[in-house]
Amino acid sequence: MSEKRRQYPFDIIEPKWQRYWEEHKTYRTLNPGDPGFDPARPKYYVLDMFPYPSGDGLHVGHPEGYTATDIFSRHKRKLGFNVLHPMGWDAFGLPAEQYAIKTGQHPRITTERNVERFRAQLKRLGFCYDWDREINTTDPAYFRWTQWIFLQLYNSYLDEETKTARPVAELQGLSREQVDARRLAYVAEVQVNWCPGLGTVLANEEVVDGKSEVGGFPVERRPLRQWMLRITAYAERLIDELEDLEWSDGIKRHQRDWIGRSEGAEVNFRVENLDRDITVFTTRPDTLFGATYMVLAPEHPLVDTITTGAQSDAVEAYRREVGGKSDMDRTALAKVKTGVATGGVAINPVNGERIPVWIADYVLISYGTGAIMAVPAHDERDHEFATQFHLPIRQVVEPPSGSTEKCFTGNGTSINSPLIDGLPTQEAKRKITAWLEERALGRKTINYKLRDWLFARQRYWGEPFPILWENGAHRAVPESELPVVPPALEDYKPTGTAEPPLAKALDWVRYSEEAARETNTMPQWAGSCWYYLRFVDPRNDTRFVGADAERYWMGANQKPGGVDLYVGGTEHAVLHLLYARFWHKVLYDLGYVSTMEPFQKLVNQGLILGEDGQKMSKSRGNVVNPDHVVAEYGADSLRLFEMFMGPLEQVKPWSTRGVEGVNRFLGRVWRLFHESDEESTNWNFSSRVQDIEPAPSHLKILHETIRKVGADIESLSFNTAISQMMIFANELTAAEVRPVSVLATFLHLLNPFSPHISEELYEILCARFPNLRRGPLSELPWPQFEQKYVLEDTMEIVVQVNGKMRDRIVVSADAGVEALKTAALASGRVAEHMAGKQLKNVIIVPKRLVNIVVR
């Protein structure tokens, strides 16, 4: 028997209890209306960001967040809550499609195999998921409702007065084109990141240095007809309604920055010799007198019109050059500025000055108006560009006294600006904006960096759109025909054009003599936008979520409501959360859900790095497989170590030696109850465990541990809870006799962290001591903390002489005023400082200090 094996028999215990939990459906969660449901219990919905089941399986970084929510869920159950803690799979996606292209194997087969592996790995770790609620975004019974939600967006518009979604059926007297222009789901031709190698559009986040993140294929910019979701209509609410959420300030800041609310002005610059204006948005209208040139995005529709013949070749060459760059590449702060003059000229509306118009890739057509007025003295990018191309730089804001910055971007006093000279920045902004509005040259406005959501992908392995095309117009598939299931294909390769792979399924595409199906698919984000709602009622085949179940689990009577605790990685700090909140708010406006927000409390767990301190990856060879750790040390050791490594939110390096240390601690817990028989390799129950009255010292450490562990679980401070349990185990190990009541209570505290060993030990105790409460430990209530057991018998008091500390004395915890006075005056150190002086007064602060006043 190896040294690791001798710690305790986890290889026998863990499969045993995992079978028990599965056979008895220990963690099955009832819904309102189910037989046995107890409505008197409070509810708690605990959710993990569900994983994409890749072929690589889990590495040890994945279970960190899952273990945290598992501990929290188990604790809440023991406190008497109805707890919903589900798991499922975000299973559509590009990797499975790429594997299908390489192997010819249908992506559903690959996905199912990967799901089976992930499920087995999670079950081996003993998580308390209700597996009856398991969902998979690729299941037609699931994506039927993803498609249904898309149709709610398609059939809705934003009412400008109420700022809420309303059915487009209410838009009376408008043409079809006018209605389509107001839908929350609409079609537009937009510039996209097109990857010919993958045959699909990529999000900015999927493009790295001009190449696809998957496969490393070149990416180019091109206009394509795409489905869009009008998330910008909700920009204001997405910012304002963050306020009441229990999210970290950092995550809220990421959300606000991505949405990018800016107050400023739109200003019209007339193009010389043309009856056209270039409209710009600026947050600094006070710097208009410092605008010395303008810059348009290369894709701006006015570029062709204003470019002179002498500059047309240079402009066209530059547009081709930047066509393959992603928005991230174009706006990188460190890159050298590039651009070309169009030859066109615009008129500055505040002074009539003629200024040249350029194009440059650092201006994006997707942000603002796709045009800027360049003020190089007060904007760093404009300053770099002006310096690069020797363009004029004119100071119009005087910085505070003493500043020597070449490019001052802060607030100051307007100079060289006749209309607003001498005014501080904020007042100058107001005055110049009012001046522009009076002359119809501009207007005060709010702008958002957020763009509408490009929602189409040219892939096979995704949710088909429930949309038909007929005579150039689109319409919804009848809801009775949902789900629209993708056809079987033998060839998943890109078509070589902008046509998606689904276009190859000619019979499927042909809906009728007149109508054809939409051949784009939805992005992977679609299924993850609403999965938290399906978990609430996953087998409902008449509604995406039952009303009673949704109101109960999402907290209809709470504000803002939603999932009580949501845990996941920081990689989803912006887009997933933003998209889910958008969908949820539309469903709320339409009356389908009862809460304004999907996620009340959000926690991001930190990354677990490899032992080399680098992010785990196959290419680095530093990936640690949890299966190997479980085989060597047991699931309870892996769970406990991941929580003991440090605060949940911190980035931490993996340490196999650390797992060994935690495994030894669990061995120590095992030996609180057992003695090893080295000859027969058996474990014998320890004679030191007895049914006796606990000593005061035992009750003190026990109740200190009850208080500490309970409070730390609630605050997700798992590492310090484990430290306290280690202190307890050390004290009881040293005890000659161990009271069974104290040990049994300790197992309740250990149970959420290491459920297998604690269940096994409690079962052994119940077999030997009939007076213990029967039942699986996970179903028994959390121990009550009693303050009386942790009261100190003595207390330490500071003694001062004329306000200066001269001694510390130990007195009885119940010492009164006279006793404190007597003890303080009896101190030898105090006597030294009173020698030759007259006692004037003794000031006593109970339980804290005695101040002796002398003169």
Side-chain angles (χ1 to χ4, degrees), residues 351-368:
N351 58 11
E353 184 174 315
R354 300 172 70 251
I355 58 177
V357 181
W358 289 63
I359 61 171
D361 62 357
Y362 76 92
V363 177
L364 303 178
I365 192 65
S366 59
Y367 179 64

Side-chain angles (χ1 to χ4, degrees), residues 461-513:
W461 194 231
E463 300 94 334
F465 282 93
I467 294 292
L468 302 173
W469 288 86
E470 189 172 349
N471 298 323
H474 47 75
R475 60 182 172 89
V477 168
E479 287 185 11
S480 60
E481 296 182 15
L482 301 181
V484 177
V485 180
L489 281 182
E490 294 183 3
D491 177 13
Y492 313 104
K493 293 179 181 178
T495 60
T497 69
E499 283 290 307
L502 286 179
K504 299 176 183 179
L506 300 179
D507 291 341
W508 180 86
V509 172
R510 185 174 179 273
Y511 180 82
S512 68
E513 289 293 334

Side-chain angles (χ1 to χ4, degrees), residues 403-414:
S403 175
T404 58
E405 297 176 52
K406 291 183 178 179
C407 177
F408 175 67
T409 60
N411 293 341
T413 303
S414 292

